[in-house]
Amino acid sequence: NIDDSETIALNASFFDGGSFHTCNNPITLSLSSDTLIKTLIFDCDDLGLNSIELWVTDRITGAQDFCAVMVDIQDINTVNICSQNSNLVDISGQVYTEKYEEVEGVMVQLGVQDLEDMTGSDGVYAFDNMPLGGSYTLELAKNTDPLNGISTLDLIMIQRHVLGYDRLDSPYKLIAADVNHNDEVSTIDMIELRKMILGVYDEFPNNTSWRFVDAAHHFIDSQDPWLGVIPETYIINQLSSDMDIDFIGIKTGDVNGSVIAHSEFKDDDIQSRNSGQQLIFNIQPQMIAENEVSIIQVSSQNYNNISGWQGTIEFDSDDVEILDVRPGALDIDVDLNFNLAHKDSGWITTSFHNKEPQIIDEDEVLFEFVVRTNRTLNSTDLISFTSSVIASESYEGTNNIMGLHLENKGPHNVQIISARPNPWVESTEIEFRTTGTEIVEWQFYDVNGRLIYTDNMKSLPGIQTYKVERENLNTSGVVYVRLITSNATADYKMVLLD
């Protein structure tokens, strides 16, 4: 009810959400451990948020318990009883990256129970009508989607920094490179980051996905951000006026600034990160007999100035068993560069980089797989590079992002190579490969396996693209894609942002 008096009295029952005793003993509600205090009176001096304790007392045993609740006292009626709410101010700010991309989904807390706000796509948080004189501690947290913005290119850049070739040129990049959160950048951070890329970790063992630094902070030494305390909280002692406090969001592991920080991120911005070129891997055709152990050699027709690559290797685990991965011209370490933990499920993740870009002739073997097949197969039908777990991409020089494609596939092969962009908002183009001229079917499923959209198109032999619009997919989050031809299927995973 509207009350235009100078005071308002609130009874303990106003705050009760259904308190009861587990043995059905009678209880008394109060606003203090003193059961006689059942009512509190608020006036103009109490405008804004007030912390209240609701006490529950067992009348038989005298046992007590309480919870803290917040009450917001406002003067919002047509008659202003209080003089312009002069004792209320606002605490607000914005969270953005070093590249001024707003950071969404950051939980901002004031150190008071139940007093928190979540940033939207504009990165803004706000606490309105805060009473003067209060003391607060601004704390920010976001620990989701640790792979966002992370790729083997970040490993390349961190290694070049460690070796002194190309130094990371800002304190925020250095903090991002400190993956294990020990206030320095070393090869240990690279090991931890690669484990995240390969899927060995699903979260950082000693760090969070994001860290936040007071935007007004000036580092003593931009090449040593740990020289002095990094202000990751903001303490307000006796709030006396409106405050605008911004924070710089730092995505752990992302030193090239490729993180997608909010859901309004434009598809063009994602697409522009990939040059459209491709590193081509080749497998020489050979027939492999049932139960035969064979060597599958991987070469490349254009391994020119390549510093690294990553991707998902998929295969039919009912037909193929990956026994080992061996180095060739590339200094491959199977324990470091491959995650074989899921090979029984038909996929392996891989991440490789070298401290200097390499040029390797097309007749040299880059690396090789040792395999056993459960039926007679052509070597070109055994594996494919996809982006189903981690994106398949390669790096020319130290900053040109290219695709990664495996050729010399068998006559009945169909492959979804990539979706650009992925994640996406408005539309994406799916790059795929078939070997014949026919009508193919596209199927799209949500994370619960529900079919949400189908489409048909005429495909031609070779690599081509299919464009899908957001309006066709009434969902968000993970979307599973299936391409069906007359004799094969291919699956892929995309992420559709709100």
Side-chain angles (χ1 to χ4, degrees), residues 158 161-162 174-190 211 223-226:
I158 294 172
H161 170 85
V162 171
L174 289 166
I175 294 171
D178 178 22
V179 174
N180 68 344
H181 205 330
N182 70 339
D183 295 352
E184 65 177 4
V185 179
S186 69
T187 55
I188 302 299
D189 296 300
M190 297 166 56
R211 295 175 65 181
Q223 277 298 306
D224 186 2
W226 305 282

Side-chain angles (χ1 to χ4, degrees), residues 3-16:
D3 188 341
D4 273 330
S5 63
E6 293 184 0
T7 63
I8 184 170
L10 296 179
N11 189 271
S13 61
F14 177 85
F15 303 100
D16 183 41

Side-chain angles (χ1 to χ4, degrees), residues 300-474:
S300 174
Q301 63 194 53
N302 64 338
Y303 208 96
N304 299 318
N305 198 34
I306 301 298
S307 55
W309 40 267
Q310 67 174 43
T312 308
I313 300 169
E314 292 195 85
F315 50 93
D316 188 340
S317 58
D318 291 333
D319 291 337
V320 181
E321 182 181 2
I322 305 293
L323 302 177
D324 197 8
V325 184
R326 297 175 179 173
L330 297 179
D331 187 19
I332 294 287
D333 182 333
V334 65
D335 294 326
L336 182 66
N337 301 121
F338 290 82
N339 179 9
L340 304 179
H342 302 280
K343 66 179 183 177
D344 291 342
S345 299
W347 59 270
I348 294 170
T349 50
T350 179
S351 166
F352 172 82
H353 79 278
N354 197 61
K355 62 183 179 182
E356 293 282 5
Q358 293 176 277
I359 299 174
I360 299 176
D361 293 338
E362 60 181 300
D363 58 353
E364 292 191 66
V365 176
L366 301 177
F367 58 95
E368 57 189 27
F369 296 99
V370 182
V371 304
R372 179 189 289 115
T373 58
N374 295 325
R375 64 186 178 92
T376 300
L377 290 169
N378 192 307
S379 61
T380 57
D381 288 332
L382 298 187
I383 66 171
S384 60
F385 271 83
T386 74
S387 297
S388 61
V389 181
I390 61 171
S392 285
E393 60 186 37
S394 59
Y395 315 102
E396 180 186 40
T398 57
N399 55 20
N400 184 29
I401 304 175
M402 307 194 303
L404 178 61
H405 178 56
L406 181 64
E407 288 194 349
N408 290 344
K409 305 302 291 181
H412 301 302
N413 179 262
V414 57
Q415 180 186 12
I416 299 177
I417 300 169
S418 66
R420 298 178 183 172
N422 186 26
W424 57 281
V425 178
E426 297 298 334
S427 66
T428 190
E429 287 194 350
I430 302 175
E431 186 177 40
F432 67 100
R433 181 183 187 276
T434 59
T435 56
T437 301
E438 61 176 310
I439 301 299
V440 300
E441 181 181 3
W442 290 95
Q443 296 179 348
F444 298 84
Y445 296 85
D446 65 15
V447 72
N448 297 313
R450 181 175 61 92
L451 180 65
I452 55 176
Y453 180 63
T454 63
D455 193 17
N456 296 317
M457 68 171 290
K458 181 179 180 180
S459 73
L460 301 172
I463 297 174
Q464 53 216 291
T465 60
Y466 168 78
K467 187 173 184 179
V468 60
E469 303 283 351
R470 182 185 186 92
E471 61 188 26
N472 301 132
L473 308 180
N474 185 25

Side-chain angles (χ1 to χ4, degrees), residues 138-313:
L138 271 169
E139 297 178 296
L140 284 69
K142 183 176 182 179
N143 195 27
T144 59
D145 196 8
L147 270 176
N148 186 4
I150 292 175
S151 73
T152 304
L153 183 57
D154 295 297
L155 282 173
I156 293 169
M157 297 176 69
I158 294 172
Q159 183 178 49
R160 293 183 68 82
H161 170 85
V162 171
L163 294 175
Y165 295 164
D166 295 306
R167 305 291 290 183
L168 297 175
D169 59 5
S170 82
Y172 305 108
K173 292 177 183 177
L174 289 166
I175 294 171
D178 178 22
V179 174
N180 68 344
H181 205 330
N182 70 339
D183 295 352
E184 65 177 4
V185 179
S186 69
T187 55
I188 302 299
D189 296 300
M190 297 166 56
I191 293 171
E192 294 290 276
L193 185 58
R194 194 186 299 278
K195 288 180 178 180
M196 176 60 71
I197 294 170
L198 290 175
V200 177
Y201 292 154
D202 55 13
E203 62 181 20
F204 295 107
N206 301 303
N207 209 340
T208 53
S209 296
W210 287 83
R211 295 175 65 181
F212 304 94
V213 176
D214 180 2
H217 177 65
H218 295 285
F219 293 92
I220 299 171
D221 183 348
S222 63
Q223 277 298 306
D224 186 2
W226 305 282
L227 188 62
V229 177
I230 299 176
E232 298 186 65
T233 59
Y234 191 99
I235 297 175
I236 300 173
N237 291 314
Q238 293 191 331
L239 182 64
S240 59
S241 64
D242 290 335
M243 300 196 72
D244 187 11
I245 308 164
D246 294 345
F247 285 83
I248 304 292
I250 303 168
K251 175 62 185 64
T252 301
D254 175 29
V255 296
N256 72 332
S258 61
V259 68
I260 299 174
H262 57 82
S263 58
E264 299 299 320
F265 205 83
K266 294 183 175 60
D267 287 358
D268 290 344
D269 294 334
I270 305 171
Q271 180 71 31
S272 65
R273 294 172 179 171
N274 194 309
S275 67
Q277 301 170 286
Q278 289 195 338
L279 171 65
I280 306 297
F281 281 169
N282 306 108
I283 290 178
Q284 295 303 314
Q286 60 174 310
M287 294 306 297
I288 303 175
E290 182 179 352
N291 291 325
E292 178 182 344
V293 175
S294 297
I295 305 299
I296 307 300
Q297 296 180 330
V298 180
S299 58
S300 174
Q301 63 194 53
N302 64 338
Y303 208 96
N304 299 318
N305 198 34
I306 301 298
S307 55
W309 40 267
Q310 67 174 43
T312 308
I313 300 169

